[in-house]
Amino acid sequence: MGVLNLVITIYTFIPVVLILIMIVAFSMLWPLAIGAAYSPSSKKVVRKMLEMAEVRPEDRVYDLGSGDGRIVIEAARQYHAQGVGVEADPLRVAWSRLKVMITGLNSHVTIIWGNLFHQNLNQATVVTLFLWGRTNENLKEKLQEELEPGTRVVSYVWKFKGWEPVQIDKKEQIFLYIIGESDYPLYF
């Protein structure tokens, strides 16, 4: 009877393991389909991005592809700004929300589970992103349509082709753009 119970337990356990593997695989592959892979920015880069954007308490910082929420958490913690993270990976969303809760920043930070292309960005005064170049290109029109002139857009590593950054940190590869200035040639 003991061997039979062991076999039944193993066969019951296998579907659970397969389901968990599928959830993890989906969680990792879905963001790739949208246009970015999880690659957390260092604390130094996060601080530099927020510093270049001159984040203030009255700002609403949107991080597109927010991963574990480190940028919006830092914006709330250090600058007292409102933070909104948009992340496609449900596991990272859960982790981010847990971090927000643990840090006590629930009233300052919101993490949205969803596709960044389907989120309305018109409340943002600062947008941060570390996406692929192709994804940045696909976002340009959305940013121009939804963001007010003067909104600061900070991109790590990838530039926006055709836009002129107002500030560049060459060492860290951070590019600051301002809607209505950096994208000006595209309005003609």
Side-chain angles (χ1 to χ4, degrees), residues 57 59-60 72 76-77 80-84 97 99-111:
D59 281 320
R60 181 171 287 264
V72 289
R77 188 181 318 180
H80 308 288
Q82 292 293 312
V84 178
R97 289 177 178 169
K99 284 176 59 177
V100 169
M101 188 177 70
I102 289 170
T103 58
L105 294 170
N106 296 27
S107 64
H108 282 80
V109 177
T110 303
I111 304 295

Side-chain angles (χ1 to χ4, degrees), residues 50 54-62 71-84 105 107-110 125-126:
L50 296 172
E54 298 180 3
V55 174
R56 300 175 302 269
E58 61 271 15
D59 281 320
R60 181 171 287 264
V61 178
Y62 275 61
I71 292 177
V72 289
I73 289 171
E74 185 72 10
R77 188 181 318 180
Q78 293 298 322
Y79 298 93
H80 308 288
Q82 292 293 312
V84 178
L105 294 170
S107 64
H108 282 80
V109 177
T110 303
T125 56
V126 174

Side-chain angles (χ1 to χ4, degrees), residues 129-145:
L129 33 87
F130 178 23
L131 305 169
W132 293 335
R134 182 187 80 236
T135 309
N136 279 10
E137 292 307 304
N138 292 336
L139 266 176
K140 281 168 52 173
E141 186 176 330
K142 178 177 180 59
L143 295 174
Q144 287 177 304
E145 288 175 2

Side-chain angles (χ1 to χ4, degrees), residues 117-162:
F117 289 99
H118 299 150
Q119 300 304 312
N120 187 328
L121 307 176
N122 68 358
Q123 296 296 310
T125 56
V126 174
V127 174
T128 61
L129 33 87
F130 178 23
L131 305 169
W132 293 335
R134 182 187 80 236
T135 309
N136 279 10
E137 292 307 304
N138 292 336
L139 266 176
K140 281 168 52 173
E141 186 176 330
K142 178 177 180 59
L143 295 174
Q144 287 177 304
E145 288 175 2
E146 295 182 14
L147 299 177
E148 292 292 322
T151 302
R152 292 145 286 160
V153 177
V154 185
S155 182
Y156 178 45
V157 178
W158 300 98
K159 295 179 181 181
F160 284 93
K161 293 179 185 165

Side-chain angles (χ1 to χ4, degrees), residues 41-56:
S41 305
S42 71
K43 287 183 181 184
K44 180 180 178 184
V45 166
V46 169
R47 288 183 183 128
K48 186 65 178 180
M49 290 174 77
L50 296 172
E51 179 185 304
M52 284 175 68
E54 298 180 3
V55 174
R56 300 175 302 269

